[in-house]
Amino acid sequence: MDELLTPRTARLDDPDVIEMIDEVQQEYVRRYGGPDSTPLRVEEFLPPVGVLFVVRDAEGSVGMGGWRAHDGGPEADGLRPGDAEIKRMYVRPQARGRGVARAVLAAVERSATEAGRRRLVLETGLRQPEAIGLYTSSGYRPLVPKFGLYRHEEQSVCMVKDLDTGSAP
């Protein structure tokens, strides 16, 4: 991966991030008939409770993804204290196939591990087979019961990966 494609931290309210969130929301509309209405707040993606990464190339931002602490709450079926949730993984079409998603996912995993998070969890959907393929090939497995706003939806797929926190098994 060239130096330009190295994930760097960003804020959820960064104009480039907002633009990519709008694009991924349109992708959800195309695939599912509506946007993701999961509420996100800027402070959820600031250390120590979360981080957001953006990848830029010579043309500008091409991908993003982050994590936020997810230690419980009303939609927390299947979650445990110490979990972190992956959110807003997205790669612009012109940058796909260049390793951007894997670079962002690696940065997310490294950052969550360094923050002491024990597992990464995520929610995606059956109409995103490329996302499911990325996560499966990166060691994620199904999470049952499902969690999150869409936990009762048939199209919802929840996945989990244990992080190597350096502690004994």
Side-chain angles (χ1 to χ4, degrees):
M1 165 135 332
D2 73 43
E3 184 61 28
L4 284 175
L5 295 179
T6 301
R8 308 277 186 221
T9 58
R11 288 177 51 99
L12 194 65
D13 56 1
D14 176 288
D16 286 345
V17 171
I18 291 169
E19 190 175 296
M20 285 191 287
I21 287 173
D22 289 345
E23 290 174 23
V24 75
Q25 291 288 30
Q26 288 307 307
E27 189 69 27
Y28 297 145
V29 168
R30 281 191 291 283
R31 293 184 190 214
Y32 299 102
D36 177 0
S37 57
T38 303
L40 302 178
R41 297 183 324 272
V42 171
E43 58 272 14
E44 293 177 305
F45 294 89
L46 298 175
V49 297
V51 179
L52 184 71
F53 294 96
V54 170
V55 173
R56 292 180 172 85
D57 68 9
E59 307 300 314
S61 48
V62 294
M64 67 177 177
W67 66 268
R68 64 180 178 175
H70 213 315
D71 290 316
E75 297 158 355
D77 292 347
L79 299 185
R80 301 177 190 158
D83 283 351
E85 180 185 14
I86 295 174
K87 291 301 293 178
R88 293 301 182 256
M89 285 285 292
Y90 177 68
V91 177
R92 287 182 155 151
Q94 70 271 20
R96 293 178 185 162
R98 294 170 53 195
V100 173
R102 288 199 185 278
V104 171
L105 185 58
V108 164
E109 290 177 351
R110 203 169 30 256
S111 172
T113 300
E114 290 168 358
R117 295 280 125 187
R118 295 183 186 107
R119 301 188 314 168
L120 276 169
V121 298
L122 64 96
E123 183 180 27
T124 187
L126 292 176
R127 294 183 184 167
Q128 294 169 265
E130 60 280 271
I132 293 169
L134 168 70
Y135 297 126
T136 300
S137 69
S138 298
Y140 289 77
R141 64 187 188 281
L143 176 63
V144 179
K146 297 190 289 186
F147 75 97
L149 189 61
Y150 302 103
R151 66 192 176 281
H152 300 298
E153 299 290 328
E154 277 187 41
Q155 293 290 319
S156 173
V157 174
C158 291
M159 303 181 85
V160 61
K161 181 177 182 178
D162 296 318
L163 297 174
D164 181 11
T165 58
S167 59

